[in-house]
Amino acid sequence: MMMPPMAENTKETVGLSDNEKLALCGLARALLQSHAGVSADEQAALEDVLQEVFAPTAIMTPGETAYRASPQVETPTVDVGAWLERAARELPDDDAVRAAAQRVMRPESRELICDALFSLAATDTVSESEWKVLDWLTDTWKMPRMRG
């Protein structure tokens, strides 16, 4: 039996939806603004964490004989600054950020967002105000709290 060839230049991506990315950016901003000032380390960590989370986990471009050869893997970069600016415009206050967080429904997205926020908070010592944001989120999403 002959199998039909795979379509050329088919791309498969895995990751957060735009609404989930927006919620993550709003939550990250709320987390970092919850205490006095954002350190240079936190700013760098924000860029790194969002770049890692936003980049699709796999973008594969199979060739004509994809079943015989390894796919070509691309690693795109994401304009994190544009996402943070969008979140600042569309989620201007805590109520808007909380509403966006409550619209995140997929369990795998919730877990990814919580992990990203905890990584961001753990750049330095997690402050009590950061714990309040993290605790609110895990309580809202009915997930285990992150405190040890």
PDB file of all heavy atoms in Angstrom, residues 12-44:
ATOM      1  N   GLU A  12       4.100  22.597  12.280  1.00  0.00           N
ATOM      2  CA  GLU A  12       3.318  22.261  13.461  1.00  0.00           C
ATOM      3  C   GLU A  12       3.895  23.046  14.636  1.00  0.00           C
ATOM      4  O   GLU A  12       5.087  23.020  14.878  1.00  0.00           O
ATOM      5  CB  GLU A  12       3.424  20.770  13.742  1.00  0.00           C
ATOM      6  CG  GLU A  12       2.676  20.332  14.981  1.00  0.00           C
ATOM      7  CD  GLU A  12       2.850  18.860  15.274  1.00  0.00           C
ATOM      8  OE1 GLU A  12       3.147  18.093  14.358  1.00  0.00           O
ATOM      9  OE2 GLU A  12       2.703  18.507  16.451  1.00  0.00           O
ATOM     10  N   THR A  13       3.055  23.783  15.343  1.00  0.00           N
ATOM     11  CA  THR A  13       3.532  24.541  16.500  1.00  0.00           C
ATOM     12  C   THR A  13       2.737  24.146  17.728  1.00  0.00           C
ATOM     13  O   THR A  13       1.585  23.752  17.640  1.00  0.00           O
ATOM     14  CB  THR A  13       3.386  26.067  16.281  1.00  0.00           C
ATOM     15  OG1 THR A  13       2.015  26.365  16.095  1.00  0.00           O
ATOM     16  CG2 THR A  13       4.196  26.532  15.093  1.00  0.00           C
ATOM     17  N   VAL A  14       3.382  24.264  18.858  1.00  0.00           N
ATOM     18  CA  VAL A  14       2.754  23.950  20.128  1.00  0.00           C
ATOM     19  C   VAL A  14       3.066  25.109  21.064  1.00  0.00           C
ATOM     20  O   VAL A  14       4.200  25.561  21.126  1.00  0.00           O
ATOM     21  CB  VAL A  14       3.336  22.643  20.714  1.00  0.00           C
ATOM     22  CG1 VAL A  14       2.692  22.326  22.042  1.00  0.00           C
ATOM     23  CG2 VAL A  14       3.163  21.504  19.744  1.00  0.00           C
ATOM     24  N   GLY A  15       2.081  25.600  21.812  1.00  0.00           N
ATOM     25  CA  GLY A  15       2.355  26.675  22.750  1.00  0.00           C
ATOM     26  C   GLY A  15       1.092  27.339  23.240  1.00  0.00           C
ATOM     27  O   GLY A  15      -0.004  26.820  23.083  1.00  0.00           O
ATOM     28  N   LEU A  16       1.272  28.500  23.847  1.00  0.00           N
ATOM     29  CA  LEU A  16       0.161  29.267  24.404  1.00  0.00           C
ATOM     30  C   LEU A  16      -0.595  30.000  23.303  1.00  0.00           C
ATOM     31  O   LEU A  16      -0.006  30.448  22.324  1.00  0.00           O
ATOM     32  CB  LEU A  16       0.684  30.307  25.395  1.00  0.00           C
ATOM     33  CG  LEU A  16       1.387  29.801  26.656  1.00  0.00           C
ATOM     34  CD1 LEU A  16       1.889  30.974  27.483  1.00  0.00           C
ATOM     35  CD2 LEU A  16       0.473  28.924  27.477  1.00  0.00           C
ATOM     36  N   SER A  17      -1.903  30.149  23.506  1.00  0.00           N
ATOM     37  CA  SER A  17      -2.707  30.968  22.593  1.00  0.00           C
ATOM     38  C   SER A  17      -2.386  32.441  22.850  1.00  0.00           C
ATOM     39  O   SER A  17      -1.751  32.796  23.849  1.00  0.00           O
ATOM     40  CB  SER A  17      -4.196  30.721  22.847  1.00  0.00           C
ATOM     41  OG  SER A  17      -4.577  31.294  24.094  1.00  0.00           O
ATOM     42  N   ASP A  18      -2.837  33.308  21.965  1.00  0.00           N
ATOM     43  CA  ASP A  18      -2.596  34.742  22.153  1.00  0.00           C
ATOM     44  C   ASP A  18      -3.207  35.254  23.456  1.00  0.00           C
ATOM     45  O   ASP A  18      -2.585  36.049  24.157  1.00  0.00           O
ATOM     46  CB  ASP A  18      -3.142  35.538  20.965  1.00  0.00           C
ATOM     47  CG  ASP A  18      -2.258  35.410  19.725  1.00  0.00           C
ATOM     48  OD1 ASP A  18      -1.185  34.762  19.799  1.00  0.00           O
ATOM     49  OD2 ASP A  18      -2.647  35.959  18.682  1.00  0.00           O
ATOM     50  N   ASN A  19      -4.409  34.801  23.788  1.00  0.00           N
ATOM     51  CA  ASN A  19      -5.035  35.242  25.040  1.00  0.00           C
ATOM     52  C   ASN A  19      -4.257  34.751  26.253  1.00  0.00           C
ATOM     53  O   ASN A  19      -4.160  35.457  27.262  1.00  0.00           O
ATOM     54  CB  ASN A  19      -6.487  34.769  25.115  1.00  0.00           C
ATOM     55  CG  ASN A  19      -7.386  35.532  24.173  1.00  0.00           C
ATOM     56  OD1 ASN A  19      -7.108  36.675  23.807  1.00  0.00           O
ATOM     57  ND2 ASN A  19      -8.462  34.910  23.746  1.00  0.00           N
ATOM     58  N   GLU A  20      -3.698  33.549  26.165  1.00  0.00           N
ATOM     59  CA  GLU A  20      -2.893  33.014  27.271  1.00  0.00           C
ATOM     60  C   GLU A  20      -1.574  33.773  27.400  1.00  0.00           C
ATOM     61  O   GLU A  20      -1.115  34.055  28.510  1.00  0.00           O
ATOM     62  CB  GLU A  20      -2.649  31.522  27.058  1.00  0.00           C
ATOM     63  CG  GLU A  20      -3.927  30.702  27.192  1.00  0.00           C
ATOM     64  CD  GLU A  20      -3.816  29.298  26.631  1.00  0.00           C
ATOM     65  OE1 GLU A  20      -2.891  28.994  25.841  1.00  0.00           O
ATOM     66  OE2 GLU A  20      -4.690  28.469  26.985  1.00  0.00           O
ATOM     67  N   LYS A  21      -0.976  34.149  26.263  1.00  0.00           N
ATOM     68  CA  LYS A  21       0.253  34.956  26.291  1.00  0.00           C
ATOM     69  C   LYS A  21      -0.024  36.318  26.929  1.00  0.00           C
ATOM     70  O   LYS A  21       0.771  36.818  27.728  1.00  0.00           O
ATOM     71  CB  LYS A  21       0.801  35.148  24.881  1.00  0.00           C
ATOM     72  CG  LYS A  21       1.399  33.903  24.285  1.00  0.00           C
ATOM     73  CD  LYS A  21       1.849  34.165  22.849  1.00  0.00           C
ATOM     74  CE  LYS A  21       2.371  32.901  22.204  1.00  0.00           C
ATOM     75  NZ  LYS A  21       2.757  33.112  20.804  1.00  0.00           N
ATOM     76  N   LEU A  22      -1.152  36.901  26.561  1.00  0.00           N
ATOM     77  CA  LEU A  22      -1.531  38.199  27.116  1.00  0.00           C
ATOM     78  C   LEU A  22      -1.726  38.097  28.631  1.00  0.00           C
ATOM     79  O   LEU A  22      -1.241  38.949  29.386  1.00  0.00           O
ATOM     80  CB  LEU A  22      -2.811  38.694  26.437  1.00  0.00           C
ATOM     81  CG  LEU A  22      -3.217  40.121  26.716  1.00  0.00           C
ATOM     82  CD1 LEU A  22      -2.168  41.096  26.208  1.00  0.00           C
ATOM     83  CD2 LEU A  22      -4.565  40.407  26.066  1.00  0.00           C
ATOM     84  N   ALA A  23      -2.398  37.051  29.079  1.00  0.00           N
ATOM     85  CA  ALA A  23      -2.593  36.844  30.520  1.00  0.00           C
ATOM     86  C   ALA A  23      -1.254  36.677  31.224  1.00  0.00           C
ATOM     87  O   ALA A  23      -1.025  37.259  32.292  1.00  0.00           O
ATOM     88  CB  ALA A  23      -3.485  35.624  30.767  1.00  0.00           C
ATOM     89  N   LEU A  24      -0.349  35.902  30.643  1.00  0.00           N
ATOM     90  CA  LEU A  24       0.970  35.709  31.238  1.00  0.00           C
ATOM     91  C   LEU A  24       1.707  37.033  31.363  1.00  0.00           C
ATOM     92  O   LEU A  24       2.292  37.333  32.411  1.00  0.00           O
ATOM     93  CB  LEU A  24       1.797  34.712  30.422  1.00  0.00           C
ATOM     94  CG  LEU A  24       3.272  34.569  30.816  1.00  0.00           C
ATOM     95  CD1 LEU A  24       3.440  34.209  32.286  1.00  0.00           C
ATOM     96  CD2 LEU A  24       3.967  33.553  29.920  1.00  0.00           C
ATOM     97  N   CYS A  25       1.670  37.859  30.326  1.00  0.00           N
ATOM     98  CA  CYS A  25       2.351  39.160  30.384  1.00  0.00           C
ATOM     99  C   CYS A  25       1.751  40.059  31.458  1.00  0.00           C
ATOM    100  O   CYS A  25       2.479  40.732  32.189  1.00  0.00           O
ATOM    101  CB  CYS A  25       2.301  39.852  29.024  1.00  0.00           C
ATOM    102  SG  CYS A  25       3.382  39.099  27.812  1.00  0.00           S
ATOM    103  N   GLY A  26       0.428  40.072  31.554  1.00  0.00           N
ATOM    104  CA  GLY A  26      -0.220  40.871  32.591  1.00  0.00           C
ATOM    105  C   GLY A  26       0.127  40.372  33.983  1.00  0.00           C
ATOM    106  O   GLY A  26       0.407  41.168  34.892  1.00  0.00           O
ATOM    107  N   LEU A  27       0.123  39.059  34.159  1.00  0.00           N
ATOM    108  CA  LEU A  27       0.471  38.477  35.464  1.00  0.00           C
ATOM    109  C   LEU A  27       1.939  38.736  35.804  1.00  0.00           C
ATOM    110  O   LEU A  27       2.269  39.030  36.967  1.00  0.00           O
ATOM    111  CB  LEU A  27       0.185  36.976  35.462  1.00  0.00           C
ATOM    112  CG  LEU A  27      -1.291  36.600  35.501  1.00  0.00           C
ATOM    113  CD1 LEU A  27      -1.496  35.153  35.063  1.00  0.00           C
ATOM    114  CD2 LEU A  27      -1.871  36.832  36.900  1.00  0.00           C
ATOM    115  N   ALA A  28       2.816  38.650  34.817  1.00  0.00           N
ATOM    116  CA  ALA A  28       4.238  38.925  35.055  1.00  0.00           C
ATOM    117  C   ALA A  28       4.429  40.371  35.485  1.00  0.00           C
ATOM    118  O   ALA A  28       5.192  40.657  36.419  1.00  0.00           O
ATOM    119  CB  ALA A  28       5.050  38.617  33.799  1.00  0.00           C
ATOM    120  N   ARG A  29       3.717  41.285  34.821  1.00  0.00           N
ATOM    121  CA  ARG A  29       3.808  42.694  35.196  1.00  0.00           C
ATOM    122  C   ARG A  29       3.294  42.901  36.623  1.00  0.00           C
ATOM    123  O   ARG A  29       3.927  43.583  37.431  1.00  0.00           O
ATOM    124  CB  ARG A  29       3.020  43.562  34.203  1.00  0.00           C
ATOM    125  CG  ARG A  29       3.289  45.052  34.387  1.00  0.00           C
ATOM    126  CD  ARG A  29       2.520  45.921  33.411  1.00  0.00           C
ATOM    127  NE  ARG A  29       1.131  46.023  33.842  1.00  0.00           N
ATOM    128  CZ  ARG A  29       0.088  45.554  33.166  1.00  0.00           C
ATOM    129  NH1 ARG A  29       0.250  44.969  32.013  1.00  0.00           N
ATOM    130  NH2 ARG A  29      -1.127  45.693  33.629  1.00  0.00           N
ATOM    131  N   ALA A  30       2.160  42.270  36.950  1.00  0.00           N
ATOM    132  CA  ALA A  30       1.604  42.385  38.310  1.00  0.00           C
ATOM    133  C   ALA A  30       2.574  41.817  39.344  1.00  0.00           C
ATOM    134  O   ALA A  30       2.759  42.394  40.421  1.00  0.00           O
ATOM    135  CB  ALA A  30       0.260  41.661  38.388  1.00  0.00           C
ATOM    136  N   LEU A  31       3.205  40.714  39.003  1.00  0.00           N
ATOM    137  CA  LEU A  31       4.156  40.081  39.909  1.00  0.00           C
ATOM    138  C   LEU A  31       5.343  41.007  40.174  1.00  0.00           C
ATOM    139  O   LEU A  31       5.723  41.231  41.330  1.00  0.00           O
ATOM    140  CB  LEU A  31       4.640  38.761  39.304  1.00  0.00           C
ATOM    141  CG  LEU A  31       5.579  37.933  40.149  1.00  0.00           C
ATOM    142  CD1 LEU A  31       4.789  37.211  41.242  1.00  0.00           C
ATOM    143  CD2 LEU A  31       6.305  36.919  39.289  1.00  0.00           C
ATOM    144  N   LEU A  32       5.908  41.558  39.107  1.00  0.00           N
ATOM    145  CA  LEU A  32       7.094  42.402  39.268  1.00  0.00           C
ATOM    146  C   LEU A  32       6.771  43.757  39.888  1.00  0.00           C
ATOM    147  O   LEU A  32       7.605  44.324  40.589  1.00  0.00           O
ATOM    148  CB  LEU A  32       7.794  42.594  37.924  1.00  0.00           C
ATOM    149  CG  LEU A  32       8.414  41.326  37.335  1.00  0.00           C
ATOM    150  CD1 LEU A  32       9.041  41.616  35.978  1.00  0.00           C
ATOM    151  CD2 LEU A  32       9.430  40.709  38.280  1.00  0.00           C
ATOM    152  N   GLN A  33       5.579  44.268  39.658  1.00  0.00           N
ATOM    153  CA  GLN A  33       5.207  45.559  40.231  1.00  0.00           C
ATOM    154  C   GLN A  33       4.666  45.435  41.650  1.00  0.00           C
ATOM    155  O   GLN A  33       4.339  46.430  42.273  1.00  0.00           O
ATOM    156  CB  GLN A  33       4.171  46.251  39.339  1.00  0.00           C
ATOM    157  CG  GLN A  33       4.745  46.698  38.019  1.00  0.00           C
ATOM    158  CD  GLN A  33       3.701  47.336  37.111  1.00  0.00           C
ATOM    159  OE1 GLN A  33       2.513  47.275  37.359  1.00  0.00           O
ATOM    160  NE2 GLN A  33       4.176  47.949  36.041  1.00  0.00           N
ATOM    161  N   SER A  34       4.586  44.202  42.151  1.00  0.00           N
ATOM    162  CA  SER A  34       4.011  43.991  43.479  1.00  0.00           C
ATOM    163  C   SER A  34       4.948  44.432  44.598  1.00  0.00           C
ATOM    164  O   SER A  34       4.544  44.547  45.738  1.00  0.00           O
ATOM    165  CB  SER A  34       3.636  42.518  43.677  1.00  0.00           C
ATOM    166  OG  SER A  34       4.799  41.702  43.705  1.00  0.00           O
ATOM    167  N   HIS A  35       6.201  44.673  44.264  1.00  0.00           N
ATOM    168  CA  HIS A  35       7.143  45.158  45.282  1.00  0.00           C
ATOM    169  C   HIS A  35       7.845  46.395  44.748  1.00  0.00           C
ATOM    170  O   HIS A  35       7.598  46.838  43.629  1.00  0.00           O
ATOM    171  CB  HIS A  35       8.140  44.052  45.681  1.00  0.00           C
ATOM    172  CG  HIS A  35       8.912  43.481  44.537  1.00  0.00           C
ATOM    173  ND1 HIS A  35      10.032  44.074  44.013  1.00  0.00           N
ATOM    174  CD2 HIS A  35       8.720  42.371  43.798  1.00  0.00           C
ATOM    175  CE1 HIS A  35      10.502  43.352  43.022  1.00  0.00           C
ATOM    176  NE2 HIS A  35       9.707  42.308  42.859  1.00  0.00           N
ATOM    177  N   ALA A  36       8.729  46.958  45.530  1.00  0.00           N
ATOM    178  CA  ALA A  36       9.358  48.236  45.175  1.00  0.00           C
ATOM    179  C   ALA A  36      10.402  48.064  44.064  1.00  0.00           C
ATOM    180  O   ALA A  36      11.533  47.707  44.329  1.00  0.00           O
ATOM    181  CB  ALA A  36      10.008  48.845  46.410  1.00  0.00           C
ATOM    182  N   GLY A  37      10.007  48.334  42.845  1.00  0.00           N
ATOM    183  CA  GLY A  37      10.944  48.355  41.738  1.00  0.00           C
ATOM    184  C   GLY A  37      11.278  46.999  41.150  1.00  0.00           C
ATOM    185  O   GLY A  37      11.154  45.974  41.792  1.00  0.00           O
ATOM    186  N   VAL A  38      11.712  47.043  39.903  1.00  0.00           N
ATOM    187  CA  VAL A  38      12.108  45.847  39.170  1.00  0.00           C
ATOM    188  C   VAL A  38      13.629  45.895  39.017  1.00  0.00           C
ATOM    189  O   VAL A  38      14.161  46.851  38.461  1.00  0.00           O
ATOM    190  CB  VAL A  38      11.429  45.798  37.779  1.00  0.00           C
ATOM    191  CG1 VAL A  38      11.891  44.591  36.998  1.00  0.00           C
ATOM    192  CG2 VAL A  38       9.921  45.810  37.921  1.00  0.00           C
ATOM    193  N   SER A  39      14.306  44.866  39.512  1.00  0.00           N
ATOM    194  CA  SER A  39      15.766  44.828  39.422  1.00  0.00           C
ATOM    195  C   SER A  39      16.195  44.509  37.993  1.00  0.00           C
ATOM    196  O   SER A  39      15.404  43.995  37.187  1.00  0.00           O
ATOM    197  CB  SER A  39      16.333  43.787  40.388  1.00  0.00           C
ATOM    198  OG  SER A  39      16.033  42.474  39.934  1.00  0.00           O
ATOM    199  N   ALA A  40      17.453  44.788  37.688  1.00  0.00           N
ATOM    200  CA  ALA A  40      17.996  44.462  36.361  1.00  0.00           C
ATOM    201  C   ALA A  40      17.940  42.951  36.131  1.00  0.00           C
ATOM    202  O   ALA A  40      17.660  42.495  35.012  1.00  0.00           O
ATOM    203  CB  ALA A  40      19.427  44.973  36.242  1.00  0.00           C
ATOM    204  N   ASP A  41      18.193  42.171  37.178  1.00  0.00           N
ATOM    205  CA  ASP A  41      18.118  40.708  37.059  1.00  0.00           C
ATOM    206  C   ASP A  41      16.698  40.260  36.732  1.00  0.00           C
ATOM    207  O   ASP A  41      16.497  39.359  35.922  1.00  0.00           O
ATOM    208  CB  ASP A  41      18.585  40.026  38.346  1.00  0.00           C
ATOM    209  CG  ASP A  41      20.092  40.125  38.540  1.00  0.00           C
ATOM    210  OD1 ASP A  41      20.811  40.440  37.568  1.00  0.00           O
ATOM    211  OD2 ASP A  41      20.555  39.877  39.673  1.00  0.00           O
ATOM    212  N   GLU A  42      15.702  40.889  37.380  1.00  0.00           N
ATOM    213  CA  GLU A  42      14.302  40.531  37.103  1.00  0.00           C
ATOM    214  C   GLU A  42      13.908  40.899  35.674  1.00  0.00           C
ATOM    215  O   GLU A  42      13.197  40.149  35.009  1.00  0.00           O
ATOM    216  CB  GLU A  42      13.369  41.220  38.096  1.00  0.00           C
ATOM    217  CG  GLU A  42      13.404  40.619  39.482  1.00  0.00           C
ATOM    218  CD  GLU A  42      12.558  41.396  40.471  1.00  0.00           C
ATOM    219  OE1 GLU A  42      12.522  42.640  40.388  1.00  0.00           O
ATOM    220  OE2 GLU A  42      11.937  40.744  41.327  1.00  0.00           O
ATOM    221  N   GLN A  43      14.374  42.052  35.203  1.00  0.00           N
ATOM    222  CA  GLN A  43      14.061  42.482  33.840  1.00  0.00           C
ATOM    223  C   GLN A  43      14.651  41.503  32.825  1.00  0.00           C
ATOM    224  O   GLN A  43      13.988  41.102  31.871  1.00  0.00           O
ATOM    225  CB  GLN A  43      14.585  43.899  33.585  1.00  0.00           C
ATOM    226  CG  GLN A  43      14.141  44.483  32.266  1.00  0.00           C
ATOM    227  CD  GLN A  43      12.629  44.648  32.166  1.00  0.00           C
ATOM    228  OE1 GLN A  43      11.968  45.055  33.124  1.00  0.00           O
ATOM    229  NE2 GLN A  43      12.076  44.333  31.013  1.00  0.00           N
ATOM    230  N   ALA A  44      15.897  41.083  33.060  1.00  0.00           N
ATOM    231  CA  ALA A  44      16.543  40.113  32.169  1.00  0.00           C
ATOM    232  C   ALA A  44      15.830  38.761  32.244  1.00  0.00           C
ATOM    233  O   ALA A  44      15.617  38.101  31.221  1.00  0.00           O
ATOM    234  CB  ALA A  44      18.018  39.961  32.523  1.00  0.00           C
TER     235      ALA A  44
END
